[in-house]
Every structure is written in C-alpha cells, then in structure tokens.
Amino acid sequence: MIDEMRLARERRFLVLLGIICLALIGGALYMQIVLGEAPCPLCILQRYALLLIALFAFIGAAMRTQRSVTVFEVLVVLSALGGVAAAGHHVYTQFYPAISCGVDVLQPIVDDLPLAKIFPLGFQVDGFCSTPYPPVLGLSLAQWALVAFVLTAILVPLGIYRNRKHRA
C-alpha cells in the first residue's frame, strides 16, 4: 500500500512536470509569435528537449509498475541533460556573442527534423543565438531554460531516491 502511494506520488510529479514543460513551450511560442522573438537553432533544440521531457513524463505517469515508471524517469533525465547542453551552450553564446551558435551548421540539421516539417512555426529556425532579448525577472530565456533543465535533472532522481529509499 505504501509503495503504491509512493509510486502514485511519482506519477503525479511526472504529470506536473509534463504540464510545466508544455507550458514553457507555449511561453516560447507566445514570445515568438506575439513578441516577435525569433528562435535560434539552440532555442529549437531546447524546445525538443522540453517536448521529450513532457512526452516521457506523461508516458511514465501512465505506467503501472515501478520498473516501467523508472525507465521513463531515466528518459526524462536524459532529455533534461540534452536540454542542459543546449541551454548551457546558448547561455555561453549570449555571454560571448562573438562565438557563433552554429547557425550555418545547426540550422539545416534542425530544420530537417520531422517536427520542423510538421509544425514549422514552432520548430523551424528563424533567428540567431546571440540576439539579446529583454530579460524576464533578471534572467535571459536561455538562463531560465538552463535552470529548468538542471532542476529537472536533479529533482527527478531525488524524487526517485526519496520515494524508494525506505523500500529496503
């Protein structure tokens, strides 16, 4: 009974995480469409990472066994680590604008990914990584994304540990 309650708590956390990730993608689309902030290749890669986290989180929340939930939690963490890499490089590029974000190299690759063809408005490159946009609560969007990815990569394993440490 206690194990079921702990697993249910993990599932609720995964649903919340998935909703937050979709909300972050929605916020990025709002900033792109309404505020005119064009996404760079690293922005789009961060959207993919958020989408993968949400997808794996929702699938994991639907799983019934601890092992299957854990598999999807691991995929969530791996997606978050990919997001850390993209957002970290984006933050670095914004601090050192002379460093290219790789538009020439990354743009055709990112624009050839399947979602760029299905939903070009949300997943096609249209800007440069070094473009300065106004900060939100003192941080750039890339910095906020980095915070979100790092928190995800830390909190998911911590939640697993917390929920399962008493099992032995």
Side-chain angles (χ1 to χ4, degrees):
M1 181 70 167
I2 291 174
D3 284 343
E4 288 177 31
M5 288 174 41
R6 288 182 178 151
L7 195 56
R9 182 173 32 202
E10 282 184 45
R11 285 194 207 109
R12 284 191 307 271
F13 174 76
L14 288 172
V15 168
L16 177 63
L17 179 61
I19 291 169
I20 290 169
C21 287
L22 292 180
L24 289 171
I25 293 171
L29 289 171
Y30 171 82
M31 296 183 94
Q32 175 185 344
I33 296 165
V34 176
L35 302 180
E37 296 186 9
C40 70
L42 294 172
C43 294
I44 300 299
L45 292 177
Q46 291 167 62
R47 289 181 191 182
Y48 274 105
L50 287 168
L51 189 61
L52 286 173
I53 291 169
L55 180 68
F56 293 141
F58 289 139
I59 294 171
M63 296 291 117
R64 294 290 163 226
T65 66
Q66 181 174 312
R67 178 171 289 189
S68 56
V69 171
T70 302
V71 166
F72 285 97
E73 287 171 329
V74 167
L75 291 171
V76 162
V77 171
L78 291 173
S79 299
L81 292 174
V84 166
H89 186 62
H90 197 174
V91 168
Y92 178 80
T93 301
Q94 288 182 335
F95 277 121
Y96 301 101
I99 306 292
S100 170
C101 66
V103 171
D104 296 337
V105 176
L106 279 180
Q107 182 172 0
I109 295 168
V110 173
D111 283 347
D112 278 343
L113 293 172
L115 283 179
K117 307 267 190 256
I118 296 168
F119 183 43
L121 179 65
F123 291 94
Q124 231 173 26
V125 175
D126 196 26
F128 299 98
C129 300
S130 57
T131 303
Y133 290 110
V136 177
L137 299 175
L139 295 178
S140 72
L141 293 177
Q143 290 168 323
W144 278 115
L146 182 58
V147 167
F149 289 125
V150 167
L151 283 175
T152 301
I154 292 171
L155 292 178
V156 171
L158 271 176
I160 295 169
Y161 174 75
R162 180 179 153 240
N163 284 330
R164 300 181 190 180
K165 71 179 177 183
H166 299 295
R167 190 158 186 240

